[in-house]
Amino acid sequence: MKSEVRGRQFRLKWTAAADAEKYGIAVYQAGKWRVKVQVNGNVTSYTSPKVETGTYKMVVCAKVNGEWDTGSINKRAFNVTIE
């Protein structure tokens, strides 16, 4: 996973998961994970619209065989800081 911040936008790049149907980008808010964006399984990057300043705890999960891979979700999480 690689993240890059430019101004008030961020770009994420990740390694493809075998047989991924979709990827979900989730943000940890109000004590739970909330999927904010879903992209097709052949896409391995995402550029956000402009977002508010702050630090966001995020994770990218793959959907394989109709199931979201949420194993070790907190260990796979990362922070993106928008200043």
Side-chain angles (χ1 to χ4, degrees), residues 34-71:
R34 300 177 191 274
V35 175
K36 297 295 187 175
V37 176
Q38 291 185 33
V39 297
N40 289 329
N42 62 340
V43 176
T44 57
S45 66
Y46 171 75
T47 300
S48 75
K50 289 184 179 178
V51 296
E52 295 296 319
T53 59
T55 297
Y56 299 89
K57 183 176 179 180
M58 301 181 162
V59 70
V60 176
C61 294
K63 187 175 194 178
V64 179
N65 295 323
E67 298 287 325
W68 289 104
D69 175 12
T70 57

Side-chain angles (χ1 to χ4, degrees), residues 1-82:
M1 167 58 57
K2 180 181 175 185
S3 65
E4 179 182 323
V5 175
R6 286 191 182 164
R8 290 185 39 214
Q9 291 181 283
F10 61 87
R11 181 170 178 80
L12 305 177
K13 292 183 182 182
W14 57 89
T15 302
D19 301 320
E21 299 159 17
K22 288 185 179 257
Y23 293 100
I25 299 163
V27 178
Y28 194 75
Q29 294 177 310
K32 62 172 67 171
W33 287 103
R34 300 177 191 274
V35 175
K36 297 295 187 175
V37 176
Q38 291 185 33
V39 297
N40 289 329
N42 62 340
V43 176
T44 57
S45 66
Y46 171 75
T47 300
S48 75
K50 289 184 179 178
V51 296
E52 295 296 319
T53 59
T55 297
Y56 299 89
K57 183 176 179 180
M58 301 181 162
V59 70
V60 176
C61 294
K63 187 175 194 178
V64 179
N65 295 323
E67 298 287 325
W68 289 104
D69 175 12
T70 57
S72 302
I73 195 166
N74 289 316
K75 288 183 181 179
R76 293 188 290 135
F78 55 92
N79 289 332
V80 172
T81 301
I82 306 295

